[in-house]
Structure formats: structure tokens, C-alpha cells
Amino acid sequence: MPSARTHDTITIISGAIMTPITYYAALEYTQLGPSTALACSFWLGSAHLLSGIMFSPDLDIDSTIDNRWGIFFWIWRPYMWFIPHRSFWSHSLIISPLLRLGYFVIVVYGLLFVMSLGMSQIGLIPPAFHREFVEQIYTLIKTRPDEVGAFVIGFCTGSAAHTIADWLVTKGYWLLGRYGRRLRRRYRDHQ
Ligand SMILES: [Zn+2]
């Protein structure tokens, strides 16, 4: 499989190509104004990089990727335990990035809930952080649907660039293997 570094390079190059294309395509084929088109291409490009580099499909194994989360590496432990390596659930075009995004949102919600609970246990009256978090997401979807849509698309393409590279390499090895076998057989027939 391509190394984490190779995947990063693919993510950065594909993101750099896609961002300006998104801007011009949004201006050309949608009703969006220049400033919204610019914002959408920015969010799509950023989500593409974020997804490929920090939310990589290879979070399904103990790899360089979870180390990038520093002290928060443990967030991905349960994900790693339950998601089989290189399965549909971690390496697919749409479901797997959405699953990682959803998983992350649930983890953040859980942490905020525990934080609120902990503060109330020691006698403080904390704001309901977890509820606030959900409200913020809801408001964002309602007030900036185009940008949120661009972010989700970019999040999927960032993961897809990884998955497609993995597929190509696997297919490449398979083809090379087949070709190699045929060559060997031909060589044997000659004798
Ligand atoms: Zn992979």
C-alpha cells in the first residue's frame, strides 16, 4: 500500500487541483455568487485536506495517522477495534468518510457531556456544552447550507483520493502478479 507520506502527497496535490476547479464550476454551473463560491471552494479544499491527512481511512489500524492526533490518539481506539482493516467501513467512497465524521461528532458530544456532568458534580453550574454543540451544528447547517455541503463533499473526496490510490495499487500488484505468472509459464514452455 502507498505509505502515509505518499497518501499525504496525493491528498495535497488533488486538493490543490480541486479547489480552484470547484470555484470556477460553482460560478459557472450554480446560482452561487462569487463570495459564496469562494467560501464553498475554500471549505471543500480544507475538508479534503483534513479528511485525507487527519481522518484518513488508515485510522482503522494503529498507524502514523492516529499518532497525528497527539494526546487525543485514544479517540480512535474503539474505531480501530471495531472496524476491520481495509474493509468497506473504512475504505469506501462515501460511507466510510461519513462514518468517521459521525463517529467524531459523537465522541465530541460524549466528551462535552462528561465535562458538563463533571462540573456539576463538583458543585458548579455548567452550561450544557453538549447541547450547545448540537445547536451550533444545527445553526450552521441552517444558515450556511452551501458551505456545509461543500465541506461534506470535500470530506468525502479527501477520503476517496486515499481509497482510490489503495485500489489502484492493489489492482496494479494483481495485474503485475498475473503478468509475472504468465511470463514464468511462457518461459517454462520454452524449455
Ligand atoms: Zn488505506
Side-chain angles (χ1 to χ4, degrees), residues 140-190:
L140 210 60
I141 294 171
K142 237 175 111 183
T143 55
R144 304 243 171 237
D146 299 321
E147 286 88 340
V148 171
F151 183 89
V152 172
I153 293 171
F155 205 85
C156 290
T157 59
S159 168
H162 175 112
T163 302
I164 292 170
D166 275 1
W167 285 348
L168 287 177
V169 169
T170 314
K171 197 82 183 152
Y173 278 143
W174 182 75
L175 282 173
L176 276 178
R178 230 164 65 132
Y179 183 65
R181 269 198 301 280
R182 204 179 307 152
L183 270 183
R184 270 200 300 278
R185 205 178 309 137
R186 209 180 295 163
Y187 182 73
R188 224 185 298 129
D189 292 345
H190 263 282

Side-chain angles (χ1 to χ4, degrees), residues 7 57-58 86 91 162 166:
H7 275 305
D58 286 348
R86 299 200 68 228
H91 285 68
H162 175 112
D166 275 1

Side-chain angles (χ1 to χ4, degrees), residues 17-64:
I17 295 170
M18 274 174 48
T19 309
I21 293 178
T22 305
Y23 176 67
Y24 289 110
L27 281 184
E28 197 70 33
Y29 302 110
T30 68
Q31 309 289 325
L32 301 177
S35 63
T36 315
L38 189 68
C40 284
S41 56
F42 169 79
W43 285 115
L44 188 138
S46 307
H48 182 91
L49 295 180
L50 181 73
S51 176
I53 294 171
M54 293 300 287
F55 287 78
S56 158
D58 286 348
L59 277 170
D60 61 2
I61 43 162
D62 190 359
S63 64
T64 329

Side-chain angles (χ1 to χ4, degrees), residues 80-171:
M80 230 176 263
W81 295 329
F82 290 108
I83 302 291
H85 179 46
R86 299 200 68 228
S87 65
F88 167 82
W89 300 108
S90 63
H91 285 68
S92 57
L93 296 181
I94 297 169
I95 303 290
S96 90
L98 295 183
L99 183 75
R100 280 189 293 280
L101 192 59
Y103 174 85
F104 182 71
V105 168
I106 291 170
V107 168
V108 173
Y109 179 88
L111 288 177
L112 292 174
F113 175 73
V114 169
M115 219 161 96
S116 301
L117 198 72
M119 282 172 78
S120 65
Q121 291 296 313
I122 55 168
L124 295 169
I125 307 165
F129 297 119
H130 52 297
R131 243 173 271 145
E132 182 76 18
F133 174 62
V134 173
E135 263 164 40
Q136 291 288 345
I137 294 177
Y138 181 69
T139 311
L140 210 60
I141 294 171
K142 237 175 111 183
T143 55
R144 304 243 171 237
D146 299 321
E147 286 88 340
V148 171
F151 183 89
V152 172
I153 293 171
F155 205 85
C156 290
T157 59
S159 168
H162 175 112
T163 302
I164 292 170
D166 275 1
W167 285 348
L168 287 177
V169 169
T170 314
K171 197 82 183 152

